[in-house]
Amino acid sequence: METIYTVGDIGLKLFKKGKVRETFFFDGNLLMVATDRISAFDVVFPTPIPYKGIVLNMLSEFWFKKTKKIVKNHFITTDIPKGLPEFLKNRSMVVKSARPIELECVVRGYLTGSAFKEYKKNNGMVWGYELEKGLEDGAKLKEPLFTPAIKKVDKDITISVEESRKIFGGVVEELQEYSLKLYEFANRYALKKGLVLADTKFEFGYDGKGIMQIDEAFTPDSSRYWLKEEYEKGNLESMDKQFFRNYLLGIEWDRSSPPEIPKEIAEKTKERYLKLYEMITGKNLQKEIKNKIN
Ligand SMILES: Nc1ncnc2c1ncn2[C@@H]1O[C@H](COP(=O)(O)OP(=O)(O)OP(=O)(O)O)[C@@H](O)[C@H]1O
Ligand SMILES: [Mg+2]
């Protein structure tokens, strides 16, 4: 298994280079390649996290296959066509091309992170929702909340559903319905696997016929997962990127030049991503990719 920081020239035309993934035009569709880059607070760090891209890709595949009955999605295959370099295996997905709707569809089943900050600051009001008083960090919400956000110069700004309707129109209703259904399905599933899916983010796009889910699905980059056993004891033990964010919050660093990540932190982040994959799918990723005959 090779660790990949940048994809480089693979003989395909680049469609978009994101913070983590690089997408290429491929045969009328797109080829999304997940690198091992890690980003946090909207900057990319110079140290790759081994296996990270593979976890993102294979976990998205797992969820896209499970949720297509709720809403169609862009997934086509993770079989990499002959002729493309070997290192793309396991970290790439052929997807249908879409016109993205520039609304980050966030669903929160539990109150934490920026929503908890907002709750404390605004006396129980969270982007248009009035919540009950006295909730603690991590509290389960009576109903999952749809808290969409828009991208503003490398930073996501949460807006109320009402505001998002003004910008994107009636389609927001549909996006909200799909997002809530997807979240509820996945949280129910995660709970059975010993995890709490605290919140997650979806992206949707138009494919010419209608709406489909695009981007990634319930990955540790796009979602907050906690260990259920710890949650029940009152601890928010993150199995996702939050572990890395917490490390960053504890050190001094210049946001314009992100530092190398210490070996031990990179290792622990990797272990969490792999453990999450195993808990959700019941499979050991390292064994799985070794045994794959292609
Ligand atoms: N099927 C699709 N068709 C078109 N664009 C897509 C599709 N799926 C995902 N995308 C877009 O590809 C990008 C995925 O790359 P990545 O997640 O690395 O970017 P990012 O870190 O979110 O940064 P950026 O702010 O550049 O989007 C996103 O911009 C997403 O909207
Ligand atoms: Mg992204």
Side-chain angles (χ1 to χ4, degrees):
M1 199 282 307
E2 233 178 297
T3 298
I4 299 298
Y5 193 77
T6 338
V7 177
D9 182 9
I10 53 168
L12 300 176
K13 189 170 175 258
L14 186 70
F15 167 75
K16 179 166 187 187
K17 183 169 173 171
K19 287 188 279 288
V20 173
R21 282 163 301 156
E22 295 179 32
T23 305
F24 300 85
F25 289 98
F26 178 75
D27 215 9
N29 296 309
L30 297 172
L31 180 77
M32 293 194 79
V33 185
T35 70
D36 297 315
R37 295 197 289 268
I38 188 163
S39 71
F41 305 110
D42 287 310
V43 291
V44 181
F45 288 77
T47 318
I49 307 294
Y51 291 101
K52 179 174 177 286
I54 300 182
V55 170
L56 297 190
N57 189 57
M58 289 174 60
L59 208 48
S60 285
E61 173 182 16
F62 175 87
W63 284 113
F64 278 140
K65 285 180 175 169
K66 282 222 174 319
T67 61
K68 65 174 185 218
K69 52 189 187 287
I70 300 173
V71 55
K72 64 177 177 161
N73 62 59
H74 70 172
F75 177 80
I76 299 177
T77 182
T78 47
D79 292 340
I80 298 314
K82 284 208 176 69
L84 288 174
E86 194 71 0
F87 77 82
L88 295 175
K89 234 195 249 174
N90 303 312
R91 59 171 73 250
S92 316
M93 187 182 282
V94 181
V95 301
K96 283 181 215 130
S97 171
R99 184 161 56 83
I101 300 170
E102 305 287 330
L103 185 69
E104 312 251 308
C105 294
V106 179
V107 178
R108 302 166 189 273
Y110 300 75
L111 185 67
T112 193
S114 58
F116 183 59
K117 267 194 214 142
E118 188 75 12
Y119 173 81
K120 283 193 297 183
K121 197 175 79 190
N122 279 343
N123 200 24
M125 279 300 286
V126 176
W127 303 301
Y129 296 100
E130 187 171 356
L131 304 182
E132 64 217 277
K133 298 273 152 17
L135 298 178
E136 307 264 342
D137 190 10
K140 185 173 198 297
L141 297 165
K142 277 193 185 142
E143 301 275 343
L145 304 183
F146 178 62
T147 58
I150 45 172
K151 282 184 182 173
K152 277 255 168 78
V153 205
D154 277 351
K155 201 181 181 312
D156 294 350
I157 313 269
T158 304
I159 55 173
S160 68
V161 174
E162 207 174 300
E163 277 173 274
S164 55
R165 257 192 225 114
K166 277 184 208 149
I167 305 170
F168 297 91
V171 72
V172 170
E173 224 96 338
E174 214 176 321
L175 301 183
Q176 172 166 12
E177 188 195 320
Y178 289 145
S179 299
L180 290 169
K181 277 192 183 152
L182 287 167
Y183 170 79
E184 276 170 70
F185 170 81
N187 188 37
R188 231 178 293 128
Y189 192 95
L191 287 169
K192 284 191 230 150
K193 306 290 177 183
L195 292 156
V196 172
L197 177 65
D199 53 43
T200 192
K201 182 212 74 176
F202 308 107
E203 290 185 31
F204 296 91
Y206 295 105
D207 70 347
K209 282 178 236 132
I211 286 170
M212 69 177 170
Q213 191 193 349
I214 61 168
D215 206 49
E216 55 188 334
F218 304 109
T219 71
D221 274 13
S222 68
S223 318
R224 270 200 187 85
Y225 285 99
W226 296 324
L227 287 180
K228 183 169 173 265
E229 206 181 272
E230 289 301 314
Y231 181 78
E232 283 159 0
K233 287 188 263 175
N235 308 322
L236 306 182
E237 187 64 36
S238 298
M239 296 307 292
D240 51 52
K241 210 158 79 173
Q242 193 58 37
F243 168 78
F244 179 60
R245 288 193 204 102
N246 290 346
Y247 156 75
L248 294 173
L249 292 170
I251 60 162
E252 295 238 344
W253 61 287
D254 173 1
R255 301 221 167 184
S256 60
S257 62
E260 287 284 347
I261 306 164
K263 226 180 159 127
E264 170 208 335
I265 300 296
E267 185 64 21
K268 283 192 175 151
T269 308
K270 175 191 105 182
E271 291 306 331
R272 266 160 219 256
Y273 274 58
L274 287 173
K275 172 93 184 291
L276 177 76
Y277 182 82
E278 185 158 351
M279 289 181 80
I280 295 279
T281 65
K283 289 180 185 162
N284 178 291
L285 183 135
Q286 284 153 304
K287 277 192 202 145
E288 204 184 338
I289 62 178
K290 232 183 244 161
N291 296 338
K292 242 191 213 174
I293 317 155
N294 259 334

